[in-house]
Amino acid sequence: MKGYELKDLLAWDARIREAVAKAGLDCFDQEFELCDHYQMLGYMAYSGMPSHYPHWSYGKQYEKLKTLYDYGVSGLPYEMVINSNPAIAYLMRDNSLLLQILTIAHVYGHNDFFKNNFTFKATRAELTVELFKAHAIRVRKYIEDPSLGIDAVERLLDAAHALSFQRRRNLAIRKLGREEQIKQAMESAQPKPDQYRKIHRPVGFQPPDINKVPLEPEQDILLFIRDHNPYLAEWEKDLLTIVDEEARSFLPMIETKIMNEGWASYWHKRILDSMDLDQGLYLEFLVRHNQVVRPIPGQINPYHLGLKIWEDIYRRWTNPTAEEIEQYGAPDRTGEAKLFQVREVERDTSFIRRYLTPELARELDLFKFEPRGNDLVVSEVSDEDGFERVKETLLQNVGTNSIPVIKVEDADFGQNRTLYLRHYHDGRDLHLEYAEKTLGYVYSLWGRECALETVVRGRRILLIYNDRGFSTRTMK
Amino acid sequence: MVDSIFRDYRGSNAERSDRSAGDRLRHRQKVRESIRTNIADIIAEESIIGKDKDKIIKVPLRGIKEYRFVYGDNTPGVGQGEGDTEAGQVIGKVGTEGTAGDRAGDRPGVDYYETDVTLEELIDIMFEDLELPDLERKALREIQSERSSKPKGHRRVGIRARLDKRRTAKQRIMRKLATRHAALEELEPDEEEPRFPFHTDDLRYRHVEPKMRRESNAVVICIMDTSGSMDTMKKYLARSFFFLLYQFITTRYRNVEIVFIAHHTEAKEVGEEEFFHKGESGGTFISSGYAKALEIIHERYHPSIWNVYAFHCSDGDNFDSDNPAALRAAQELAEVCNLFGYGEIKPLGSRYYESSMLSIFRRLSAPNFHTVLIERKEDIWPSFKTFLAKERLAEGAA
């Protein structure tokens, strides 16, 4: 370590924790581990997990990160935190003292967010590390099993990885069991009470088809295949479960990237500001802080956007301008209280929808771009006309909204056990080469014909994958 | 207040820091596998022919992409400007990384489609693909030469110059100690210990073994028709084939030389540059090229010392009057060569109206003579493979 020792870090950490407590942040206990850059690359490749099952894609990830790092294309993050209880963070030992201080404060921001944001409530933080370890043990067991071997396990994992995020995104909404779905379907099939029933033709009771599988379109594709393909072996089902569970535990991170990074940046700034750093450290702090949260022209830096929105919320609830009071009403609570409320009940989508104001968007100069020919062209800017469309586009690209929604509509399409999937098209077409290959993975898991309904350039088409390979059909 | 603990750096814990080793290896295997399955396409790419060994080649990879359902290129995005962005401004190109906006989510990002390999690695993989284990055992005409020697143990006999004094002295001491008891008994009191001279048994010589090195020399003779009918495309195909042959021979022999012979109605030895780039005009006497090759072989590469590989590329448009002479020369050449090949380059379709040497050479019955037909660049690799596979067959028969 450069010019400081572990005991210096401990002393700074104690001061930071005091400031954290004073600020009212509510954290899990925290573990810090000092690592070198090789170890950091290793942690990054495996999403920070101390233990993780093996798969070649992580090797690829490692090589890619290392290449980018070696050629100076991208640096390494100053830290990496994982959502577990206690939270685990890795600090780079070659960083300067100030960077460590900044990072430690930043980590407590994340930690507070993990503990309090609603999206993380469904992940059991105290079990995260053990869960990943248990997965690793099981996968290794299958690989070492001479009757299975690495090739079979890899084939299944390749397919499962391709579909891992084709699952329900909002973990706070409980999934109904089959019985409940039937009940709901029966209820909604009942004729509505009609106060004009004397003059209306009576609507008879239309019994719903309760034998249909799935009753309601089903978004958890991996789990659906696990539960409805009777030819899968136990180990295959187990692997599908493992991949789904991992995707599930990363979901909150994806859903709150902007909020979470913004929150941690907001608090490391406030905490370090409150700590009376000496001048040298403070100047370095300003430089580093601005490097992290600087806007990147032509892109969205989640650190920058998040921080700006949080600062704007705090300002609007402590010191609103007259116009703002007129437009949005007087603040209903203090700035602090508002911050803590928002960090608990929002995710990126709702956060941006509710708190990105036209004024802020204009200040940040957010714009929408679209491909035209070979160029990316700015099509809307955040003026009065364009703001809503810029915001809608931003929302489409935030969190899991950047993943196409595809649901299982029918598991027995044409009485042929064809798996019928439908892409819920929202104006964005699928990448067809990827769709073809991924549908191939669905086919390999389902074992029978699979069909995917989607829209390409305004025309409904059906992508089909069966024992004769891939084909497409235009739909009426 | 929250609790925290710090775990200090543990650098020696290799298991944790290098846990990705297995996955990296597996990934590299996949990359290699992918290159191997696409080798024919890569070879057909113009860029690798004639480059030096350390040249890094970008090889497109198929099969190691991680596919998911993702949105295509027509997806709008949001970016941040510097305060003066206006509608209609062009901010970047479709499909380039960086400008396309951070999607701030789990977009798979730009997967990389290519990897860098050095030409040497590529050649390794290429010949791995050939899977010709028999070729390793090929009775290469090797010449043993005693270049150096290495020490190997000690001997009781030898020449003076190799006397190991230290060991000899040791032997004497050992012998002295062994005989001491008896000697002491015989000794009268007060008598001085007698001299204990060296004995022939004590002498130890360093032993050296001559290091026999298998010297293997090969010469690749590239003969090409540079007559007017050989256009750039034909030359390119020929060049690709020569390249493969040369690389292949290089992996098998220590010392490989290459000779370029260009011929139209008469033949001359030329440099590489001239061979591939200089156009000639006029008619074709194939026999002239073979005669030149024979001449060079007799002058510089005697078959008792050299493994001779000759390959001739032509479009088969030979003067009819020359055919008997060409056949005779080919017969002679086949006798002095390990392998002699004739590649007829006929861009697709043209073989139906142009004359061909293939039918002429069919009359030549040497086991180490082979003809291949190359119609387009995709043929190069398969025909190269069959060329060598025939060699194996021939050996099996021999």
Side-chain angles (χ1 to χ4, degrees):
Chain A
M1 281 184 275
K2 293 177 193 159
Y4 57 92
E5 285 169 39
L6 191 63
K7 67 175 197 299
D8 300 322
L9 288 186
L10 288 171
W12 279 103
D13 175 58
R15 284 182 64 187
I16 292 167
R17 277 185 290 140
E18 253 169 57
V20 163
K22 220 159 90 190
L25 295 182
D26 169 28
C27 300
F28 291 128
D29 288 341
Q30 179 70 48
E31 282 181 26
F32 290 101
E33 187 174 322
L34 289 154
C35 66
D36 60 30
H37 69 279
Y38 285 113
Q39 291 166 330
M40 188 57 125
L41 285 168
Y43 285 128
M44 283 168 74
Y46 294 90
S47 315
M49 292 302 161
S51 81
H52 195 284
Y53 65 78
H55 183 258
W56 61 268
S57 61
Y58 305 113
K60 169 179 162 183
Q61 179 67 9
Y62 183 95
E63 302 274 12
K64 188 172 170 183
L65 290 168
K66 186 161 185 309
T67 308
L68 292 178
Y69 175 71
D70 286 349
Y71 287 96
V73 179
S74 70
L76 289 177
Y78 301 138
E79 45 74 28
M80 171 131 206
V81 204
I82 61 172
N83 159 38
S84 60
N85 179 15
I88 302 174
Y90 307 101
L91 303 175
M92 290 270 281
R93 66 197 274 266
D94 295 329
N95 285 342
S96 67
L97 179 61
L98 181 274
L99 266 180
Q100 302 289 24
I101 297 168
L102 184 149
T103 305
I104 291 170
H106 190 86
V107 164
Y108 283 114
H110 281 307
N111 185 335
D112 166 79
F113 197 87
F114 291 149
K115 188 171 175 186
N116 294 288
N117 184 269
F118 85 99
T119 56
F120 289 89
K121 292 276 195 260
T123 63
R124 286 180 294 172
E126 65 284 1
L127 298 179
T128 309
V129 173
E130 281 76 9
L131 181 78
F132 278 75
K133 189 164 185 180
H135 288 169
I137 292 170
R138 266 144 68 193
V139 174
R140 288 211 172 86
K141 192 182 80 192
Y142 296 132
I143 290 175
E144 281 155 19
D145 185 334
S147 67
L148 305 176
I150 188 160
D151 290 321
V153 170
E154 220 168 54
R155 261 199 303 281
L156 199 104
L157 285 179
D158 287 354
H161 283 181
L163 298 167
S164 62
F165 284 102
Q166 295 303 331
R167 68 179 326 287
R168 293 182 320 121
R169 285 87 189 268
N170 196 337
L171 302 175
I173 299 172
R174 194 171 64 87
K175 186 177 178 179
L176 296 180
R178 177 132 186 116
E179 293 304 315
E180 289 165 305
Q181 284 186 11
I182 291 175
K183 203 169 144 225
Q184 205 180 43
M186 295 301 268
E187 276 167 13
S188 59
Q190 296 291 347
K192 303 270 179 304
D194 183 0
Q195 60 185 123
Y196 300 110
R197 62 180 175 277
K198 283 188 178 151
I199 57 168
H200 281 169
R201 185 181 299 200
V203 183
F205 171 65
Q206 295 285 331
D209 178 10
I210 57 163
N211 291 322
K212 187 169 175 282
V213 176
L215 209 53
E216 290 292 317
E218 173 71 56
Q219 211 177 342
D220 289 331
I221 295 184
L222 285 183
L223 297 184
F224 183 84
I225 291 175
R226 179 194 70 183
D227 297 338
H228 292 89
N229 178 1
Y231 299 106
L232 287 178
E234 280 309 312
W235 67 272
E236 292 175 304
K237 291 184 183 177
D238 191 30
L239 287 179
L240 294 183
T241 314
I242 286 173
V243 173
D244 183 74
E245 273 175 7
E246 297 220 341
R248 179 193 161 95
S249 65
F250 290 127
L251 213 51
M253 303 273 193
I254 298 168
E255 286 283 54
T256 59
K257 174 91 177 159
I258 293 173
M259 278 181 89
N260 199 346
E261 293 300 356
W263 181 255
S265 303
Y266 179 79
W267 283 105
H268 79 226
K269 175 106 173 48
R270 270 187 70 164
I271 288 169
L272 263 68
D273 276 343
S274 75
M275 284 206 323
D276 284 333
L277 298 177
D278 69 50
Q279 207 175 13
L281 284 177
Y282 193 72
L283 280 175
E284 193 189 343
F285 161 60
L286 287 181
V287 171
R288 295 296 188 181
H289 173 73
N290 285 318
Q291 274 173 1
V292 173
V293 303
R294 75 179 200 282
I296 304 170
Q299 303 186 18
I300 294 291
N301 178 357
Y303 291 80
H304 179 70
L305 182 62
L307 176 66
K308 282 291 180 187
I309 298 178
W310 284 115
E311 284 177 347
D312 195 48
I313 292 172
Y314 185 72
R315 187 192 55 76
R316 275 162 55 203
W317 264 264
T318 35
N319 193 13
T321 60
E323 299 96 71
E324 278 169 349
I325 293 178
E326 194 185 317
Q327 200 182 342
Y328 304 110
D332 53 348
R333 60 193 79 201
T334 64
E336 311 275 320
K338 186 64 191 171
L339 288 180
F340 287 118
Q341 182 214 14
V342 171
R343 76 102 148 75
E344 194 161 336
V345 302
E346 309 289 359
R347 57 197 175 122
D348 278 356
T349 321
S350 58
F351 181 64
I352 288 169
R353 182 166 281 138
R354 291 199 177 117
Y355 298 105
L356 177 67
T357 60
E359 296 78 30
L360 184 60
R362 208 158 305 144
E363 185 196 322
L364 298 175
D365 192 18
L366 297 181
F367 60 82
K368 172 183 175 179
F369 60 83
E370 278 173 77
R372 271 186 212 150
N374 275 331
D375 293 328
L376 294 175
V377 178
V378 176
S379 57
E380 303 278 359
V381 294
S382 297
D383 51 19
E384 245 159 75
D385 298 333
F387 169 68
E388 281 303 324
R389 281 188 293 272
V390 171
K391 187 162 112 176
E392 281 312 311
T393 314
L394 179 59
L395 287 173
Q396 279 196 331
N397 286 306
V398 150
T400 48
N401 295 348
S402 59
I403 306 170
V405 175
I406 290 165
K407 293 185 183 178
V408 179
E409 299 277 318
D410 195 347
D412 191 22
F413 184 65
Q415 279 79 49
N416 203 17
R417 221 171 82 76
T418 293
L419 189 70
Y420 193 92
L421 307 165
R422 189 154 86 85
H423 168 217
Y424 285 65
H425 194 269
D426 61 356
R428 291 177 287 179
D429 292 355
L430 291 181
H431 189 300
L432 282 180
E433 186 202 340
Y434 275 68
E436 174 191 332
K437 294 286 169 26
T438 314
L439 196 60
Y441 285 130
V442 182
Y443 171 72
S444 77
L445 292 176
W446 183 244
R448 296 278 298 185
E449 185 174 71
C450 299
L452 170 65
E453 179 193 328
T454 183
V455 176
V456 177
R457 296 204 191 88
R459 296 166 63 132
R460 279 174 69 207
I461 62 165
L462 199 59
L463 312 178
I464 300 162
Y465 209 106
N466 53 27
D467 51 1
R468 289 183 303 279
F470 179 74
S471 58
T472 58
R473 210 164 67 205
T474 315
M475 295 173 78
K476 296 241 169 61
Chain B
M1 206 162 94
V2 291
D3 265 330
S4 69
I5 51 169
F6 275 77
R7 265 179 276 147
D8 205 353
Y9 173 63
R10 285 174 301 170
S12 61
N13 201 334
E15 197 187 1
R16 279 192 86 173
S17 60
D18 204 29
R19 63 187 180 145
S20 62
D23 288 340
R24 292 201 322 258
L25 180 70
R26 190 80 191 151
H27 172 234
R28 274 200 295 275
Q29 284 170 354
K30 292 218 163 236
V31 170
R32 233 177 139 82
E33 195 58 43
S34 167
I35 294 175
R36 193 196 303 242
T37 51
N38 296 314
I39 199 94
D41 293 350
I42 297 166
I43 295 195
E45 282 307 311
E46 199 155 355
S47 57
I48 71 157
I49 309 294
K51 294 284 164 58
D52 77 293
K53 284 208 161 189
D54 297 327
K55 153 97 183 158
I56 286 171
I57 301 155
K58 288 215 178 301
V59 176
L61 292 179
R62 264 153 259 175
I64 64 155
K65 261 195 259 182
E66 290 163 84
Y67 292 101
R68 288 166 179 273
F69 288 120
V70 294
Y71 289 120
D73 278 343
N74 72 340
T75 317
V78 171
Q80 188 173 355
E82 286 160 320
D84 51 359
T85 311
E86 280 170 26
Q89 208 173 316
V90 176
I91 56 156
K93 292 264 177 243
V94 174
T96 51
E97 207 174 353
T99 47
D102 192 308
R103 311 285 176 161
D106 180 63
R107 206 174 166 78
V110 180
D111 216 338
Y112 66 112
Y113 307 114
E114 33 185 49
T115 185
D116 295 344
V117 290
T118 61
L119 189 52
E120 191 160 11
E121 267 178 275
L122 192 64
I123 290 162
D124 276 355
I125 298 171
M126 262 159 50
F127 295 123
E128 227 172 77
D129 180 50
L130 278 176
E131 282 166 7
L132 293 173
D134 290 352
L135 229 86
E136 291 292 352
R137 286 191 273 113
K138 177 173 158 52
L140 303 175
R141 285 182 225 166
E142 286 169 331
I143 305 128
Q144 299 205 328
S145 68
E146 191 184 325
R147 278 273 178 78
S148 59
S149 47
K150 58 177 179 187
K152 195 174 184 186
H154 294 82
R155 295 281 187 280
R156 281 166 184 268
V157 286
I159 55 171
R160 253 296 148 79
R162 294 212 187 109
L163 180 71
D164 189 334
K165 292 177 188 148
R166 190 181 157 81
R167 250 167 220 273
T168 307
K170 257 188 179 170
Q171 285 299 322
R172 177 184 157 266
I173 294 167
M174 280 158 71
R175 197 166 49 83
K176 185 176 171 185
L177 287 176
T179 55
R180 190 168 177 192
H181 191 67
L184 281 179
E185 263 180 15
E186 285 170 20
L187 214 62
E188 297 286 317
D190 309 333
E191 201 180 344
E192 242 181 66
E193 254 186 87
R195 278 182 67 243
F196 196 86
F198 282 98
H199 187 262
T200 7
D201 285 352
D202 296 335
L203 302 184
R204 290 293 181 275
Y205 296 92
R206 282 188 295 271
H207 184 63
V208 276
E209 246 186 15
K211 214 159 105 184
M212 291 304 279
R213 266 180 41 159
R214 288 167 194 279
E215 211 34 67
S216 58
N217 305 315
V219 57
V220 179
I221 299 180
C222 304
I223 311 166
M224 186 162 70
D225 181 355
T226 51
S227 64
S229 57
M230 286 291 283
D231 57 24
T232 320
M233 183 61 194
K234 288 178 184 173
K235 273 191 192 163
Y236 163 67
L237 291 172
R239 179 186 160 87
S240 309
F241 205 97
F242 288 136
F243 170 78
L244 284 179
L245 187 67
Y246 175 69
Q247 292 300 350
F248 178 72
I249 302 298
T250 311
T251 59
R252 291 298 180 273
Y253 295 92
R254 197 182 304 279
N255 179 19
V256 180
E257 288 194 13
I258 186 160
V259 173
F260 297 101
I261 297 171
H263 76 87
H264 36 99
T265 49
E266 54 194 58
K268 61 180 168 190
E269 192 181 348
V270 295
E272 186 181 352
E273 187 68 14
E274 200 181 340
F275 185 67
F276 289 117
H277 297 295
K278 205 171 154 202
E280 300 273 355
S281 55
T284 312
F285 285 147
I286 286 179
S287 63
S288 69
Y290 293 173
K292 185 77 185 171
L294 283 167
E295 184 191 322
I296 291 173
I297 290 169
H298 288 310
E299 263 172 30
R300 306 194 330 238
Y301 304 106
H302 195 272
S304 65
I305 312 177
W306 291 84
N307 294 284
V308 184
Y309 289 82
F311 199 80
H312 177 217
C313 280
S314 164
D315 55 3
D317 210 358
N318 199 24
F319 281 137
D320 287 345
S321 59
D322 184 51
N323 285 349
L327 194 59
R328 234 177 301 119
Q331 183 80 48
E332 214 174 309
L333 204 51
E335 276 161 23
V336 294
C337 290
N338 289 37
L339 195 62
F340 173 38
Y342 169 70
E344 183 145 307
I345 297 166
K346 290 264 185 236
L348 215 51
S350 59
R351 71 170 148 136
Y352 298 108
Y353 54 86
E354 280 178 6
S355 60
S356 170
M357 286 299 288
L358 288 173
S359 52
I360 313 272
F361 281 134
R362 210 163 289 148
R363 277 181 256 148
L364 183 70
S365 61
N368 59 345
F369 175 74
H370 307 288
T371 55
V372 291
L373 177 68
I374 301 169
E375 294 184 332
R376 53 200 158 155
K377 61 180 184 177
E378 287 77 18
D379 286 346
I380 293 171
W381 185 241
S383 50
F384 183 68
K385 269 166 99 167
T386 44
F387 180 58
L388 289 173
K390 280 184 188 154
E391 178 188 39
R392 187 162 38 146
L393 266 182
E395 256 162 52

